[in-house]
Amino acid sequence: MPDTLTITDNRTGKQYEVPIDRGAVRAMDLRQIKTDADDFGLKTYDPALVNTASCVSRITNIDGDRGILLYRGYPIEQLAEHSDFLETAYLLLAGELPTAAQLTKWKTNVATHTMLHENMKKFMDGFRYDAHPMGIFLSTVGALSTFYPDAKDIFSEDSRRTQTLRLIAKVPSIAAYAYRHSQGRPYVQPDNELSFTGNFLNMLFKMAELKYQPNPVLERALDVLFILHADHEQNCSTSAMRTIGSAHSDPYSALTGAAAALYGPLHGGANEAVLRMLSEIGSVENVPKVIESVKSGERRLMGFGHRVYKSYDPRAKIIKRIADLVFAVTGHNPRLEIALELERIALQDDYFVERRLYPNVDFYSGLIYEAMGFQPDMFPVLFAIPRTVGWIAQWEEMLLDDEQRITRPRQIYTGAAQRDYVPREKRR
Ligand code: SDX
């Protein structure tokens, strides 16, 4: 049988053969379906792009029904077990795992870009002490574009390489500065003898000691969390990165928009919302009442559900295992029992089962971050740091894709028909 769709337009009786390619039909192939020569032709209508492939990509692949997540073909479970964040970043950006020599060079290059211009400190000092760190983060990334005007040269591979290194290396520094600002503590300079994640912990938590020594268990746990959050197909913030980048904005400006999308409580802000929800629940005894309020539609169970995963988010499974390792060091997080009871009840309740709602990446991550000493408002920032790699990889793939142009969707207009201006004195 041919890979085509035969469409009969019952308005005209005409038939059309539309090719099926990689599980999709091209929306533009529907434009030929018209009732007469003046007809614009058929569009597709897909609010929130629930069933629309916006691009062809080779970076990340998710099987939502089977709970599978692959970065460049490698299962997330294997990368979490054997890789580290910067190696995974290299894989996402370059498409292949680095050799030992390539990895050493890559890590050295990243480490040389961790410093921030001194003016950035003045810029960040302008925020109130209680400014949300994600607001500081996305504003400061946007401000970075003014320090690197060469970033506008987006079709120069050298320029993209330089901006890639700057962004990956500097977002942890920006995040750490935002945290230190909120704590009223002095900024800490990078220590490039430490690992990427070890240095991040250093810039966050170093106090009066001469040299900060990260706890190896927490350093590894955070590094694995960064691996898990690095990329995830065409999620909301990545779509924002691609859309802004399609207008040929520089990568700092595009990434600002992506971070703004991630900030939303339905997306990367969910891990913060989960912690606030668990705090509000307060005890295991209150869980049944909360489940009822979710089922009645009063609220959503934050950290549950996913547009793509209709089974357990594989990242949530790994995060649950990391939680035990972290709590062994930091001491138990009492809110874990509430989370486990929520999951236990939800996974057996028809409301959640029918809607295929399972814990997602955000359900347990906040518990670990809190145990590590982070305030909930830092959680979306901890998501943005690793996702910077995915945003850049997807942005570059879009730029180099010959099929991609400036994103400009159509609409179905249901507003007023053309009418004439009414003078003020005649308006009712
Ligand atoms: C991330 O896209 C990605 O890949 C994102 C991400 C990534 O790595 O980039 O994985 C990261 O954003 C994870 C998701 C974090 N967000 C949350 O945990 C917020 C709570 N979850 C949701 O609001 C919701 O599940 C979404 C936003 C994640 C998905 O929304 P959809 O796909 O648009 O689903 P929907 O809103 O159409 O819901 C379908 C049904 C509805 O019920 P009915 O109207 O059919 O009766 O399921 C219900 C919803 O009410 N539902 C929930 C629910 N999520 C969906 N009901 C209660 N609690 C929830 N969490």
Side-chain angles (χ1 to χ4, degrees), residues 320-368:
K320 254 177 108 173
R321 287 203 297 273
I322 294 173
D324 296 337
L325 297 174
V326 169
F327 296 155
V329 170
T330 61
H332 193 59
N333 188 329
R335 284 189 256 275
L336 177 64
E337 271 62 45
I338 302 172
L340 290 169
E341 180 63 3
L342 273 170
E343 174 184 343
R344 186 188 68 79
I345 295 182
L347 292 190
Q348 65 189 12
D349 185 296
D350 287 347
Y351 174 92
F352 297 88
V353 173
E354 284 159 12
R355 291 168 178 80
R356 302 178 73 183
L357 300 176
Y358 293 85
N360 60 49
V361 68
D362 291 304
F363 191 59
Y364 288 105
S365 56
L367 288 167
I368 297 176

Short mmCIF file of all heavy atoms in Angstrom, two decimals, residues 320-368:
data_model
loop_
_atom_site.label_atom_id
_atom_site.label_comp_id
_atom_site.label_asym_id
_atom_site.label_seq_id
_atom_site.Cartn_x
_atom_site.Cartn_y
_atom_site.Cartn_z
N LYS A 320 13.87 9.84 41.88
CA LYS A 320 13.46 9.19 43.15
C LYS A 320 14.64 8.44 43.75
O LYS A 320 14.86 8.47 44.97
CB LYS A 320 12.32 8.21 42.87
CG LYS A 320 10.94 8.69 43.34
CD LYS A 320 9.87 7.71 42.97
CE LYS A 320 9.34 6.96 44.13
NZ LYS A 320 8.16 6.12 43.76
N ARG A 321 15.44 7.82 42.92
CA ARG A 321 16.60 7.07 43.44
C ARG A 321 17.66 8.04 43.98
O ARG A 321 18.27 7.82 45.02
CB ARG A 321 17.21 6.19 42.33
CG ARG A 321 16.38 4.98 41.97
CD ARG A 321 17.25 3.88 41.31
NE ARG A 321 17.85 4.33 40.05
CZ ARG A 321 17.22 4.23 38.86
NH1 ARG A 321 15.98 3.76 38.81
NH2 ARG A 321 17.80 4.61 37.75
N ILE A 322 17.82 9.17 43.29
CA ILE A 322 18.81 10.17 43.75
C ILE A 322 18.41 10.72 45.12
O ILE A 322 19.23 10.96 46.00
CB ILE A 322 18.91 11.33 42.74
CG1 ILE A 322 19.48 10.86 41.41
CG2 ILE A 322 19.77 12.46 43.29
CD1 ILE A 322 19.45 11.93 40.33
N ALA A 323 17.08 10.86 45.32
CA ALA A 323 16.57 11.43 46.59
C ALA A 323 17.11 10.63 47.77
O ALA A 323 17.58 11.21 48.76
CB ALA A 323 15.05 11.43 46.59
N ASP A 324 17.10 9.31 47.66
CA ASP A 324 17.57 8.48 48.79
C ASP A 324 19.05 8.76 49.08
O ASP A 324 19.45 8.90 50.24
CB ASP A 324 17.38 6.99 48.46
CG ASP A 324 15.89 6.65 48.29
OD1 ASP A 324 15.06 7.40 48.86
OD2 ASP A 324 15.57 5.69 47.57
N LEU A 325 19.85 8.92 48.01
CA LEU A 325 21.30 9.19 48.20
C LEU A 325 21.50 10.55 48.88
O LEU A 325 22.30 10.70 49.80
CB LEU A 325 22.02 9.19 46.84
CG LEU A 325 22.01 7.90 46.04
CD1 LEU A 325 22.63 8.11 44.65
CD2 LEU A 325 22.78 6.82 46.81
N VAL A 326 20.72 11.54 48.42
CA VAL A 326 20.89 12.90 48.97
C VAL A 326 20.45 12.94 50.43
O VAL A 326 21.15 13.46 51.30
CB VAL A 326 20.09 13.91 48.13
CG1 VAL A 326 20.02 15.28 48.82
CG2 VAL A 326 20.71 14.05 46.74
N PHE A 327 19.29 12.32 50.72
CA PHE A 327 18.77 12.38 52.09
C PHE A 327 19.70 11.65 53.06
O PHE A 327 19.76 11.98 54.25
CB PHE A 327 17.35 11.81 52.16
CG PHE A 327 16.34 12.59 51.36
CD1 PHE A 327 15.19 11.98 50.89
CD2 PHE A 327 16.56 13.92 51.03
CE1 PHE A 327 14.26 12.69 50.14
CE2 PHE A 327 15.64 14.64 50.28
CZ PHE A 327 14.48 14.02 49.83
N ALA A 328 20.45 10.70 52.54
CA ALA A 328 21.42 9.99 53.42
C ALA A 328 22.49 10.96 53.89
O ALA A 328 23.07 10.81 54.98
CB ALA A 328 22.07 8.84 52.65
N VAL A 329 22.72 12.02 53.11
CA VAL A 329 23.73 13.03 53.48
C VAL A 329 23.09 14.21 54.21
O VAL A 329 23.59 14.67 55.24
CB VAL A 329 24.45 13.56 52.19
CG1 VAL A 329 25.30 14.76 52.53
CG2 VAL A 329 25.25 12.45 51.54
N THR A 330 21.97 14.66 53.68
CA THR A 330 21.41 15.93 54.21
C THR A 330 20.45 15.70 55.37
O THR A 330 20.06 16.62 56.05
CB THR A 330 20.62 16.64 53.10
OG1 THR A 330 19.52 15.77 52.70
CG2 THR A 330 21.49 16.96 51.90
N GLY A 331 20.04 14.44 55.53
CA GLY A 331 18.97 14.19 56.51
C GLY A 331 17.65 14.12 55.75
O GLY A 331 17.49 14.69 54.67
N HIS A 332 16.72 13.41 56.31
CA HIS A 332 15.47 13.11 55.62
C HIS A 332 14.64 14.37 55.41
O HIS A 332 14.61 15.28 56.23
CB HIS A 332 14.68 12.10 56.47
CG HIS A 332 13.54 11.49 55.73
ND1 HIS A 332 13.71 10.77 54.55
CD2 HIS A 332 12.20 11.56 55.96
CE1 HIS A 332 12.53 10.39 54.13
NE2 HIS A 332 11.60 10.85 54.95
N ASN A 333 13.97 14.43 54.23
CA ASN A 333 13.03 15.54 53.99
C ASN A 333 11.62 15.04 54.33
O ASN A 333 11.08 14.17 53.63
CB ASN A 333 13.10 15.99 52.53
CG ASN A 333 12.27 17.25 52.30
OD1 ASN A 333 11.26 17.48 52.97
ND2 ASN A 333 12.73 18.09 51.35
N PRO A 334 11.02 15.55 55.40
CA PRO A 334 9.71 15.04 55.83
C PRO A 334 8.63 15.14 54.76
O PRO A 334 7.67 14.38 54.77
CB PRO A 334 9.37 15.90 57.06
CG PRO A 334 10.24 17.11 56.94
CD PRO A 334 11.46 16.69 56.22
N ARG A 335 8.84 16.04 53.82
CA ARG A 335 7.80 16.19 52.79
C ARG A 335 7.81 15.01 51.80
O ARG A 335 6.90 14.84 51.02
CB ARG A 335 8.00 17.52 52.05
CG ARG A 335 7.53 18.70 52.88
CD ARG A 335 7.54 19.97 52.06
NE ARG A 335 8.68 20.81 52.41
CZ ARG A 335 8.65 21.67 53.43
NH1 ARG A 335 7.57 21.77 54.15
NH2 ARG A 335 9.69 22.42 53.70
N LEU A 336 8.86 14.18 51.86
CA LEU A 336 8.92 13.03 50.94
C LEU A 336 7.74 12.10 51.19
O LEU A 336 7.11 11.61 50.25
CB LEU A 336 10.23 12.27 51.11
CG LEU A 336 10.39 11.00 50.24
CD1 LEU A 336 10.39 11.37 48.75
CD2 LEU A 336 11.67 10.25 50.61
N GLU A 337 7.40 11.90 52.48
CA GLU A 337 6.26 11.00 52.80
C GLU A 337 4.97 11.52 52.17
O GLU A 337 4.15 10.76 51.66
CB GLU A 337 6.07 10.90 54.32
CG GLU A 337 6.89 9.78 54.98
CD GLU A 337 8.39 10.00 54.81
OE1 GLU A 337 8.80 11.15 55.02
OE2 GLU A 337 9.11 9.04 54.46
N ILE A 338 4.81 12.84 52.19
CA ILE A 338 3.58 13.41 51.60
C ILE A 338 3.58 13.14 50.10
O ILE A 338 2.58 12.71 49.51
CB ILE A 338 3.50 14.92 51.88
CG1 ILE A 338 3.52 15.21 53.38
CG2 ILE A 338 2.25 15.53 51.23
CD1 ILE A 338 3.63 16.68 53.74
N ALA A 339 4.74 13.35 49.47
CA ALA A 339 4.84 13.13 48.01
C ALA A 339 4.58 11.66 47.67
O ALA A 339 3.81 11.35 46.75
CB ALA A 339 6.21 13.56 47.51
N LEU A 340 5.18 10.77 48.45
CA LEU A 340 5.00 9.33 48.18
C LEU A 340 3.54 8.92 48.36
O LEU A 340 2.98 8.15 47.59
CB LEU A 340 5.91 8.51 49.11
CG LEU A 340 7.41 8.60 48.82
CD1 LEU A 340 8.21 7.97 49.95
CD2 LEU A 340 7.74 7.95 47.47
N GLU A 341 2.86 9.50 49.37
CA GLU A 341 1.45 9.16 49.60
C GLU A 341 0.59 9.72 48.47
O GLU A 341 -0.34 9.08 47.99
CB GLU A 341 1.01 9.71 50.96
CG GLU A 341 -0.43 9.43 51.34
CD GLU A 341 -0.73 7.92 51.49
OE1 GLU A 341 0.20 7.09 51.37
OE2 GLU A 341 -1.91 7.58 51.67
N LEU A 342 0.90 10.95 48.01
CA LEU A 342 0.17 11.53 46.86
C LEU A 342 0.29 10.60 45.67
O LEU A 342 -0.69 10.27 45.00
CB LEU A 342 0.74 12.89 46.50
CG LEU A 342 0.22 14.12 47.23
CD1 LEU A 342 1.09 15.33 46.92
CD2 LEU A 342 -1.24 14.40 46.86
N GLU A 343 1.53 10.15 45.41
CA GLU A 343 1.76 9.28 44.24
C GLU A 343 1.02 7.96 44.43
O GLU A 343 0.33 7.50 43.51
CB GLU A 343 3.26 9.01 44.06
CG GLU A 343 3.51 8.01 42.94
CD GLU A 343 4.98 7.63 42.78
OE1 GLU A 343 5.84 8.38 43.29
OE2 GLU A 343 5.24 6.61 42.14
N ARG A 344 1.09 7.39 45.64
CA ARG A 344 0.47 6.08 45.88
C ARG A 344 -1.03 6.13 45.59
O ARG A 344 -1.58 5.32 44.87
CB ARG A 344 0.71 5.63 47.32
CG ARG A 344 0.23 4.23 47.67
CD ARG A 344 0.32 3.92 49.15
NE ARG A 344 -0.64 4.72 49.93
CZ ARG A 344 -1.96 4.41 50.01
NH1 ARG A 344 -2.45 3.39 49.32
NH2 ARG A 344 -2.78 5.15 50.77
N ILE A 345 -1.68 7.18 46.14
CA ILE A 345 -3.14 7.30 45.95
C ILE A 345 -3.46 7.62 44.49
O ILE A 345 -4.33 7.03 43.87
CB ILE A 345 -3.71 8.37 46.90
CG1 ILE A 345 -3.54 7.94 48.37
CG2 ILE A 345 -5.17 8.64 46.56
CD1 ILE A 345 -4.11 8.91 49.37
N ALA A 346 -2.71 8.57 43.91
CA ALA A 346 -3.02 9.03 42.54
C ALA A 346 -2.89 7.88 41.54
O ALA A 346 -3.72 7.73 40.64
CB ALA A 346 -2.10 10.17 42.15
N LEU A 347 -1.88 7.02 41.74
CA LEU A 347 -1.64 5.97 40.73
C LEU A 347 -2.68 4.88 40.79
O LEU A 347 -2.73 4.00 39.95
CB LEU A 347 -0.22 5.40 40.89
CG LEU A 347 0.91 6.38 40.56
CD1 LEU A 347 2.24 5.64 40.50
CD2 LEU A 347 0.66 7.11 39.24
N GLN A 348 -3.55 4.91 41.79
CA GLN A 348 -4.60 3.89 41.84
C GLN A 348 -5.99 4.48 41.67
O GLN A 348 -6.98 3.78 41.66
CB GLN A 348 -4.51 3.11 43.15
CG GLN A 348 -4.79 3.97 44.37
CD GLN A 348 -4.49 3.26 45.69
OE1 GLN A 348 -3.87 2.19 45.69
NE2 GLN A 348 -4.92 3.84 46.81
N ASP A 349 -6.04 5.83 41.51
CA ASP A 349 -7.34 6.51 41.43
C ASP A 349 -7.75 6.68 39.97
O ASP A 349 -6.96 7.15 39.15
CB ASP A 349 -7.22 7.88 42.11
CG ASP A 349 -8.57 8.60 42.17
OD1 ASP A 349 -9.08 8.92 41.08
OD2 ASP A 349 -9.09 8.78 43.27
N ASP A 350 -9.00 6.34 39.66
CA ASP A 350 -9.45 6.37 38.26
C ASP A 350 -9.23 7.72 37.60
O ASP A 350 -8.87 7.81 36.43
CB ASP A 350 -10.95 6.01 38.18
CG ASP A 350 -11.14 4.52 38.41
OD1 ASP A 350 -10.11 3.79 38.38
OD2 ASP A 350 -12.29 4.08 38.66
N TYR A 351 -9.45 8.82 38.36
CA TYR A 351 -9.31 10.15 37.75
C TYR A 351 -7.94 10.28 37.09
O TYR A 351 -7.82 10.72 35.96
CB TYR A 351 -9.47 11.25 38.79
CG TYR A 351 -9.21 12.65 38.25
CD1 TYR A 351 -10.25 13.43 37.74
CD2 TYR A 351 -7.92 13.17 38.19
CE1 TYR A 351 -10.01 14.69 37.23
CE2 TYR A 351 -7.67 14.43 37.68
CZ TYR A 351 -8.71 15.18 37.19
OH TYR A 351 -8.46 16.43 36.67
N PHE A 352 -6.90 9.84 37.81
CA PHE A 352 -5.52 9.97 37.29
C PHE A 352 -5.21 8.88 36.28
O PHE A 352 -4.57 9.12 35.26
CB PHE A 352 -4.53 9.93 38.46
CG PHE A 352 -4.71 11.07 39.43
CD1 PHE A 352 -5.60 10.93 40.49
CD2 PHE A 352 -4.04 12.27 39.27
CE1 PHE A 352 -5.81 11.98 41.38
CE2 PHE A 352 -4.23 13.32 40.15
CZ PHE A 352 -5.13 13.18 41.20
N VAL A 353 -5.72 7.68 36.57
CA VAL A 353 -5.43 6.56 35.67
C VAL A 353 -6.06 6.81 34.30
O VAL A 353 -5.41 6.69 33.28
CB VAL A 353 -5.95 5.24 36.28
CG1 VAL A 353 -5.80 4.10 35.29
CG2 VAL A 353 -5.20 4.93 37.58
N GLU A 354 -7.33 7.24 34.31
CA GLU A 354 -8.03 7.50 33.03
C GLU A 354 -7.31 8.58 32.21
O GLU A 354 -7.24 8.51 30.99
CB GLU A 354 -9.47 7.97 33.29
CG GLU A 354 -10.44 6.86 33.71
CD GLU A 354 -11.65 7.44 34.43
OE1 GLU A 354 -11.84 8.68 34.40
OE2 GLU A 354 -12.39 6.65 35.03
N ARG A 355 -6.80 9.58 32.91
CA ARG A 355 -6.13 10.69 32.20
C ARG A 355 -4.63 10.41 32.02
O ARG A 355 -3.90 11.25 31.51
CB ARG A 355 -6.35 11.99 32.97
CG ARG A 355 -7.79 12.48 32.92
CD ARG A 355 -8.05 13.59 33.92
NE ARG A 355 -9.41 14.07 33.82
CZ ARG A 355 -10.46 13.46 34.35
NH1 ARG A 355 -10.28 12.31 35.01
NH2 ARG A 355 -11.68 13.96 34.21
N ARG A 356 -4.20 9.23 32.44
CA ARG A 356 -2.80 8.80 32.31
C ARG A 356 -1.86 9.86 32.89
O ARG A 356 -0.95 10.36 32.23
CB ARG A 356 -2.48 8.50 30.84
CG ARG A 356 -3.41 7.41 30.27
CD ARG A 356 -3.15 7.12 28.81
NE ARG A 356 -1.91 6.37 28.64
CZ ARG A 356 -1.43 6.04 27.44
NH1 ARG A 356 -2.07 6.42 26.34
NH2 ARG A 356 -0.30 5.37 27.33
N LEU A 357 -2.18 10.23 34.15
CA LEU A 357 -1.39 11.24 34.84
C LEU A 357 -0.39 10.55 35.76
O LEU A 357 -0.79 9.82 36.67
CB LEU A 357 -2.30 12.17 35.65
CG LEU A 357 -3.34 12.94 34.84
CD1 LEU A 357 -4.24 13.75 35.77
CD2 LEU A 357 -2.69 13.84 33.81
N TYR A 358 0.87 10.76 35.54
CA TYR A 358 1.94 10.16 36.36
C TYR A 358 2.87 11.27 36.86
O TYR A 358 2.87 12.36 36.30
CB TYR A 358 2.75 9.17 35.52
CG TYR A 358 1.98 7.94 35.07
CD1 TYR A 358 1.20 7.95 33.91
CD2 TYR A 358 2.03 6.76 35.82
CE1 TYR A 358 0.49 6.83 33.51
CE2 TYR A 358 1.32 5.63 35.41
CZ TYR A 358 0.55 5.67 34.26
OH TYR A 358 -0.15 4.57 33.86
N PRO A 359 3.69 10.95 37.85
CA PRO A 359 4.67 11.96 38.29
C PRO A 359 5.59 12.33 37.11
O PRO A 359 6.01 11.47 36.35
CB PRO A 359 5.46 11.25 39.39
CG PRO A 359 4.54 10.20 39.91
CD PRO A 359 3.74 9.75 38.72
N ASN A 360 5.89 13.62 36.98
CA ASN A 360 6.83 14.04 35.94
C ASN A 360 8.13 14.49 36.60
O ASN A 360 8.30 14.37 37.82
CB ASN A 360 6.21 15.15 35.07
CG ASN A 360 5.83 16.38 35.89
OD1 ASN A 360 6.61 16.88 36.68
ND2 ASN A 360 4.61 16.85 35.70
N VAL A 361 9.00 15.02 35.81
CA VAL A 361 10.36 15.35 36.27
C VAL A 361 10.34 16.29 37.47
O VAL A 361 11.24 16.28 38.30
CB VAL A 361 11.19 15.97 35.12
CG1 VAL A 361 10.65 17.36 34.73
CG2 VAL A 361 12.65 16.02 35.45
N ASP A 362 9.26 17.07 37.58
CA ASP A 362 9.23 18.10 38.63
C ASP A 362 8.70 17.60 39.97
O ASP A 362 8.77 18.33 40.95
CB ASP A 362 8.37 19.28 38.15
CG ASP A 362 9.05 20.01 37.01
OD1 ASP A 362 10.20 20.45 37.20
OD2 ASP A 362 8.46 20.11 35.92
N PHE A 363 8.17 16.37 40.00
CA PHE A 363 7.46 15.97 41.22
C PHE A 363 8.43 15.75 42.39
O PHE A 363 8.13 16.14 43.51
CB PHE A 363 6.65 14.69 40.98
CG PHE A 363 5.70 14.37 42.10
CD1 PHE A 363 4.71 15.28 42.47
CD2 PHE A 363 5.81 13.18 42.81
CE1 PHE A 363 3.82 14.99 43.51
CE2 PHE A 363 4.93 12.89 43.85
CZ PHE A 363 3.95 13.80 44.20
N TYR A 364 9.57 15.15 42.15
CA TYR A 364 10.50 14.86 43.24
C TYR A 364 11.74 15.77 43.25
O TYR A 364 12.44 15.85 44.26
CB TYR A 364 10.96 13.40 43.17
CG TYR A 364 9.88 12.42 43.57
CD1 TYR A 364 9.21 11.67 42.60
CD2 TYR A 364 9.51 12.25 44.89
CE1 TYR A 364 8.20 10.77 42.96
CE2 TYR A 364 8.52 11.35 45.27
CZ TYR A 364 7.86 10.62 44.29
OH TYR A 364 6.86 9.74 44.65
N SER A 365 12.00 16.45 42.13
CA SER A 365 13.26 17.20 42.06
C SER A 365 13.34 18.28 43.15
O SER A 365 14.37 18.47 43.79
CB SER A 365 13.42 17.84 40.68
OG SER A 365 12.30 18.66 40.38
N GLY A 366 12.19 18.94 43.39
CA GLY A 366 12.20 20.01 44.39
C GLY A 366 12.57 19.52 45.78
O GLY A 366 13.24 20.23 46.54
N LEU A 367 12.18 18.30 46.10
CA LEU A 367 12.50 17.75 47.43
C LEU A 367 14.02 17.64 47.60
O LEU A 367 14.57 17.90 48.68
CB LEU A 367 11.86 16.37 47.60
CG LEU A 367 10.34 16.35 47.78
CD1 LEU A 367 9.81 14.94 47.60
CD2 LEU A 367 9.95 16.91 49.14
N ILE A 368 14.67 17.28 46.51
CA ILE A 368 16.13 17.14 46.58
C ILE A 368 16.78 18.52 46.68
O ILE A 368 17.66 18.76 47.52
CB ILE A 368 16.66 16.41 45.33
CG1 ILE A 368 16.11 14.99 45.27
CG2 ILE A 368 18.18 16.42 45.29
CD1 ILE A 368 16.51 14.22 44.03
#
